[in-house]
Each structure stands twice: as structure tokens, then as C-alpha cells.
Amino acid sequence: MRSIKIAALGSVMLFSLISAPSADARWMVDRNADVTVYRMNTEQLLQTRSDIYFTVDVAQVNSTPQSAGKTAGPAAIEKYAIVLDGVVDKIINWDGFSENEDLSEDVVVIKLPENDGVKYFDDFGSLVFAPIYQGSIVSELIAPDEKVTPEVGLIQVVEIVAPAEPTGQPVVSASAPVVVAQEVAPNNSINMTIEVKNTDIPANSTVSVQVVTDGRSTTAIGVDPNAAVSQVVIHDLPQNENVTVKTVITNLDTNKETVIIIPIVATIPAPIVIPASARDEAADLATIAKPVVTSLVFEPSGHRVAEIKTPVIPNYDTTKTIASLMVVGPGGSTTAIGLFGMGETLTVGTLGPDFTYTVKIVLRDLASGKETFIYGDPIAKG
């Protein structure tokens, strides 16, 4: 069983109070994980095990944009957790404004606190740091004693007053993994060298270094627990992404695991040559008209049929750009129709009466892979 859960913070990290949209809206460590696991099991969720469990105030979730283009303007790039069924699946860098392929109706997006984790007192009275990482389980507080699986649109039932986060320098485990080097491989992936000091390792134990990437994909390499210092190289990590690094010590006599996690680590960017764009995105956004629904009628079946006037796309070269009209409905279901760029009127049918549909033109630059979105007015339900 996994009975000891330790989080470590590198000595170079400076500490401050976690910033949040309001005084009480922030991340906290879930000190009653058994209740969380029981609830998740009753919901028949597939992953209920985690090294660390967190709770987050519903106000923190609601203050995070849940889809791109909904805020007043771009902000500084910060880290956001992409949560699926209560589990952090990815940790992305985002400005809270621009289009992001990781965002969909199926995920909850939660802004990470300033230091990417939470300080708290463990069962031994020591001040430690719990990093938020890929695979950690998050519950949403809608009342002081009511935790639910995070979901977009939840509201506060009873006022939540979170305890103040402790101040001071957390204890750092001597066996915490340390990233000592990163290099770009010929295939533009990253090789990461990690060092572990095997301090106070119980007899008859195994030690492994683990790296977790987006989607909770894990690479684990065992090291010699009798060596004073061990180094491993993890290959084929994604470039310019956030990864989790941890040491796992397993006592074979007691079957207990000690997990030591450091705050999220950013892999270095690879110098990938990006082809020049064939189109000018700023000019397209400024000059190309939005698609317009010119007709919306009901079929005898109750479904709707829309006629949509698409804009003229200047300098449209099908060898350099692909243009399409997309009508996106519930669950991300999409009708996509290719365009010739001459201002066609297209018919899109079988739209449900009880759903709202997003209408947009997508210009995909074949040279750079960049997509430009030109939104029309949504087709409202009913």
C-alpha cells in the first residue's frame, strides 16, 4: 500500500502566499482522501488512486476561462490544469484568452496557484510542499464539507472560508530527484538527466525515478538503492512541455511506498524550424467577414436546417491554405464543409432544436500548420 506521501520543493524555489482571484478561492490539500475515493468509486470513475489529493474552491474554477476567447484580452502566460473526471490530465501554458487545442466541453480548466502547489503541515507536523502534477486527483468544494468531481457550471452552496496557507520554508527531502541536465535529441525530443541521492533508504527496498508527461504517460527507471548517488537519463520527452518528476521508494518488507515529487518541470524547447506562414493572420482577422446564418428552418422531424453565407477569402490558394466552414454542437460534434473562398452559401442540416451551435470559418495554413478562426454568431437552441 502507499501510506507515505511526501512532496519536496527544490531549494531554488522562493515561497510566497498563493495568489487567487479572491481571499478564499484557492487550492488546498484534501485531508480526507478516503471520502474522495469512495465518492469517485460510486461514480464509477476509472482512476481514483493518486499520490496527493487536492480540493479547490468552486470560485477558483469559475474564475478560470473554460473556453478560449471569453476574456477581455490576453494575459501573461501561466500554468493551467486540464482536469478530466477529477484527474489532472495535462498542465498547459496558456494566456487564458487565445485558442487552445487542449480545451473542449469535456474538460475543466483550473489555473494553478503561483508556486504550482500547496504548502501544508503533514501528519508529523512538518511543513511540506505538495506540487500539483499530472495524475493528481482534484475535488471541487461547493460547501465546506461537500466535495464533488469538478464540472463546469457548479455553484457555491454554502460560503467557503479556506484556512490560511502556512508560511515558512517547507522541508525538502534529501532523496528528492534533481534535474541536472536537459539536451535536445536528433529527433527534437528531450533527454533529461535526473540525479537521486539515496539517503536513509530502508533495507530491502527498491528505488525508481519516474517522469509523467501529458495524458499521464509514465516512464520509470530503477536505480541502485545502495549507491550514494544515482543518475538516470529519460529519453524521448516532449520538448517545451511540463512534466512531473518523482522518486518512488518501495519497502519490499512492508510493501509501503514513499513518493517524493518535485514541482512541475518545463522541458527545454527544441530549435525546430517553423516554416513561414503563407497567409497573414492579422490581416485575415481584420478583413475577412464573419459567416452569417441567412436562413434557419425546422424540418418535420423537429431538427433545424441552416443556410450559412460564407465570406470571400482574398488571395486564396488551395495549395497553400485549406478553408472550411465548421458548425460545432454538443460534445464537440462537428459538421465541416470545405470552401473555395468565393463566398458560397452552404446548407447545414440535422441540427438539434435543444442545442446551441458554434459557427466558424477555419483557415489552416499548410506551410506552418497555423489555424485562424473567424467566428460567426452562434445558432441558439430553440
Side-chain angles (χ1 to χ4, degrees):
M1 61 181 175
R2 182 166 297 194
S3 60
I4 303 175
K5 304 177 181 70
I6 302 174
L9 188 68
S11 58
V12 298
M13 177 70 77
L14 299 176
F15 295 94
S16 63
L17 290 176
I18 292 176
S19 62
S22 67
D24 298 321
R26 63 177 179 87
W27 292 71
M28 294 154 280
V29 171
D30 187 346
R31 304 309 295 267
N32 197 353
D34 290 343
V35 174
T36 298
V37 172
Y38 176 80
R39 185 198 78 239
M40 297 180 77
N41 282 330
T42 60
E43 295 174 354
Q44 299 182 329
L45 298 177
L46 298 179
Q47 181 174 337
T48 62
R49 178 179 175 179
S50 177
D51 298 319
I52 307 173
Y53 294 77
F54 293 93
T55 59
V56 62
D57 188 336
V58 66
Q60 180 76 33
V61 180
N62 290 341
S63 68
T64 298
Q66 295 300 313
S67 60
K70 298 298 184 184
T71 57
I77 298 295
E78 297 179 279
K79 293 187 183 71
Y80 292 79
I82 304 296
V83 180
L84 289 169
D85 293 331
V87 186
V88 176
D89 189 63
K90 298 181 180 181
I91 295 177
I92 64 171
N93 300 322
W94 189 42
D95 61 7
F97 174 75
S98 60
E99 287 285 339
N100 192 297
E101 62 183 8
D102 294 303
L103 309 183
S104 71
E105 294 182 356
D106 300 324
V107 303
V108 174
V109 187
I110 312 176
K111 182 181 175 182
L112 264 62
E114 184 175 296
N115 292 320
D116 305 334
V118 176
K119 288 187 287 183
Y120 74 105
F121 289 103
D122 65 12
D123 294 337
F124 304 100
S126 300
L127 181 61
V128 294
F129 185 82
I132 299 162
Y133 63 96
Q134 290 98 331
S136 51
I137 286 176
V138 184
S139 296
E140 190 169 350
L141 285 172
I142 59 175
D145 298 317
E146 188 173 354
K147 299 181 292 185
V148 298
T149 299
E151 181 180 338
V152 176
L154 293 174
I155 61 173
Q156 188 179 84
V157 177
V158 179
E159 183 179 0
I160 300 167
V161 179
E165 186 191 37
T167 58
Q169 182 87 8
V171 174
V172 178
S173 171
S175 299
V178 178
V179 177
V180 295
Q182 296 188 55
E183 64 175 1
V184 179
N187 64 355
N188 288 320
S189 68
I190 303 302
N191 297 332
M192 179 180 289
T193 303
I194 302 169
E195 183 176 278
V196 177
K197 294 180 179 179
N198 295 322
T199 304
D200 300 326
I201 303 297
N204 198 24
S205 295
T206 63
V207 180
S208 67
V209 175
Q210 298 184 5
V211 176
V212 187
T213 58
D214 285 348
R216 292 163 268 167
S217 175
T218 302
T219 301
I221 298 179
V223 300
D224 182 0
N226 298 313
V229 179
S230 298
Q231 274 196 358
V232 298
V233 179
I234 308 293
H235 298 275
D236 296 320
L237 295 175
Q239 64 90 28
N240 199 28
E241 297 288 347
N242 298 309
V243 301
T244 293
V245 180
K246 57 172 115 172
T247 301
V248 179
I249 304 169
T250 305
N251 187 319
L252 299 178
D253 293 329
T254 62
N255 201 31
K256 292 182 179 179
E257 286 186 346
T258 300
V259 183
I260 308 168
I261 308 170
I262 62 175
I264 204 79
V265 177
T267 58
I268 60 176
I272 301 172
V273 177
I274 301 176
S277 296
R279 298 193 63 87
D280 185 330
E281 180 185 9
D284 284 342
L285 291 172
T287 60
I288 298 177
K290 68 181 183 180
V292 177
V293 177
T294 58
S295 173
L296 186 63
V297 298
F298 282 88
E299 294 180 317
S301 64
H303 289 83
R304 294 173 293 172
V305 176
E307 288 192 352
I308 302 174
K309 174 66 175 177
T310 63
V312 173
I313 302 172
N315 304 317
Y316 183 50
D317 184 342
T318 56
T319 66
K320 297 180 179 180
T321 308
I322 293 177
S324 59
L325 169 70
M326 288 192 178
V327 179
V328 184
S333 61
T334 302
T335 299
I337 304 174
L339 300 177
F340 295 100
M342 298 179 293
E344 305 97 325
T345 296
L346 302 174
T347 300
V348 180
T350 322
L351 303 178
D354 299 322
F355 303 107
T356 295
Y357 291 82
T358 299
V359 178
K360 60 183 176 181
I361 301 296
V362 180
L363 297 174
R364 182 173 181 84
D365 192 311
L366 295 179
S368 65
K370 173 69 177 178
E371 290 186 340
T372 300
F373 300 90
I374 301 172
Y375 285 92
D377 295 330
I379 301 174
K381 62 183 179 180

